[in-house]
């Protein structure tokens, strides 16, 4: 793990069920190490939620091989946080589902809706095994 | 952390001991299934010790709500933080069951 104070976390972790919580704790610790005005607790909550969703998708849906790893990069600077998560899986076709509104009585399918509502920008790679989530720290919460 | 369960004549209160996220939801799912199977119709989930709920946790609450509705009961959430209240509103879950804050 590399940690340049205040702005950069880069990790490669085994795709285990505990990975999202581990990385979320690391991000919260990094955010807390900043000046108190860096971001408020509501934005920190939004960023942790986005991070967990990206990691859940990578760990639980994108990592089926034993020994699989997940790459995660978090950059926090210039009034925004960028979260990049990539898995080693075959990806998925995100195009038909990215803007789908989940019916309130459906138990599943809210991860992408959370991306849309809590991130200012959502981008997948062509293959669908990497996602970039951008959150402005002074943006409307949620967006 | 383990959940605390308090049963009463007209239902039960389930207080998760940790965040309701993908990593921890299998235990909570099992607790909820046991309560519904035992005949509990009105389930209150006390979120006093919960700081984060992810999409899998939201799905778990909706699945519990759907099961309780089928048996004529209901799900209620209490002691939600401001951020969780905002999450429930944003995801339109506040239209389907009772949710109150800290």
């Amino acid at each position: 793990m590399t940690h340049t104070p205040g702005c950069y976390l880069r990790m490669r972790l085994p795709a285990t069920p505990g990975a999202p919580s581990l990385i979320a704790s690391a991000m919260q610790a990094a955010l807390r190490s900043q000046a108190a005005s860096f971001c408020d607790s509501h934005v920190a909550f939004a960023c942790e939620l986005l991070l967990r969703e990206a990691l859940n998708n990578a760990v639980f849906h994108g990592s089926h091989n034993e020994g699989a790893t997940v790459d995660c990069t978090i950059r926090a600077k210039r009034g925004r946080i960028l979260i990049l998560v990539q898995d080693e899986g075959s990806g998925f076709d995100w195009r038909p589902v990215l803007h789908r509104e989940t019916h309130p009585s459906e138990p599943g399918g809210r991860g992408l809706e959370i991306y849309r509502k809590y991130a200012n920008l959502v981008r997948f790679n062509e293959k669908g095994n990497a996602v970039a989530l951008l959150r402005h720290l002074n943006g409307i919460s949620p967006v | 952390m383990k959940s605390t369960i308090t049963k009463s004549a007209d239902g039960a209160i389930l207080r998760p001991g940790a965040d309701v996220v993908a990593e921890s939801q299998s235990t909570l799912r099992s607790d909820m299934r046991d309560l519904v199977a035992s005949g509990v119709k009105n389930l209150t989930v006390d979120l006093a010790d919960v700081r984060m709920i992810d999409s899998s946790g939201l799905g778990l609450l909706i699945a519990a709500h759907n099961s309780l509705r089928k048996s004529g009961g209901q799900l209620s959430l209490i002691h939600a933080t401001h951020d969780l209240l905002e999450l429930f509103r944003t995801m339109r879950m506040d239209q389907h069951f009772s949710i109150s804050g800290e």
Side-chain angles (χ1 to χ4, degrees):
Chain A
M1 183 172 81
T2 308
H3 178 203
T4 303
C7 64
Y8 193 63
L9 282 166
R10 187 175 180 189
M11 291 162 272
R12 172 173 289 174
L13 289 179
T16 59
S21 290
L22 188 64
I23 299 177
S25 297
M27 184 181 75
Q28 289 293 358
L31 292 178
R32 279 197 298 272
S33 73
Q34 304 303 298
S37 59
F38 184 72
C39 74
D40 65 31
S41 64
H42 304 311
V43 174
F45 176 89
C47 291
E48 180 179 343
L49 181 60
L50 288 167
L51 177 64
R52 281 183 178 276
E53 293 304 327
L55 290 167
N56 286 347
N57 286 333
V59 169
F60 295 103
H61 302 299
S63 302
H64 303 296
N65 297 330
E66 196 173 332
T69 60
V70 169
D71 284 316
C72 176
T73 301
I74 302 162
R75 292 178 191 149
K77 60 180 179 180
R78 297 195 192 99
R80 60 191 192 174
I81 292 183
L82 178 64
I83 296 167
L84 303 163
V85 174
Q86 181 160 9
D87 61 64
E88 298 171 337
S90 55
F92 78 109
D93 187 2
W94 47 270
R95 295 161 192 82
V97 289
L98 180 58
H99 295 287
R100 198 187 73 160
E101 197 87 347
T102 309
H103 189 277
S105 64
E106 277 183 54
R110 282 178 176 72
L112 295 180
E113 192 174 343
I114 286 175
Y115 284 174
R116 291 201 316 275
K117 291 183 172 171
Y118 278 84
N120 293 84
L121 191 70
V122 181
R123 289 285 184 273
F124 285 94
N125 66 352
E126 183 69 20
K127 186 178 172 184
N129 71 333
V131 66
L133 303 166
L134 182 73
R135 170 71 194 210
H136 295 165
L137 301 185
N138 60 354
I140 300 164
S141 177
V143 292
Chain B
M1 296 242 327
K2 216 175 166 187
S3 300
T4 306
I5 296 169
T6 310
K7 284 192 177 182
S8 63
D10 60 345
I13 298 173
L14 174 67
R15 181 171 172 164
D19 289 343
V20 184
V21 294
E23 180 187 357
S24 61
Q25 72 153 293
S26 62
T27 310
L28 200 54
R29 184 182 297 277
S30 173
D31 288 340
M32 287 180 166
R33 278 183 180 157
D34 289 347
L35 285 169
V36 173
S38 73
V40 167
K41 289 191 174 171
N42 297 313
L43 177 62
T44 299
V45 179
D46 184 343
L47 299 171
D49 298 318
V50 176
R51 188 187 55 82
M52 172 61 66
I53 300 178
D54 64 13
S55 63
S56 66
L58 295 177
L60 177 64
L61 295 172
I62 289 166
H65 168 69
N66 291 344
S67 296
L68 292 163
R69 283 278 306 269
K70 279 181 193 166
S71 59
Q74 63 176 5
L75 177 73
S76 305
L77 308 181
I78 60 171
H79 297 151
T81 64
H82 175 80
D83 287 325
L84 292 179
L85 285 173
E86 188 63 40
L87 175 64
F88 294 134
R89 274 196 288 268
T90 301
M91 302 304 287
R92 295 162 286 124
M93 290 174 66
D94 58 332
Q95 299 168 15
H96 295 271
F97 38 83
S98 161
I99 303 170
S100 64
E102 291 173 309

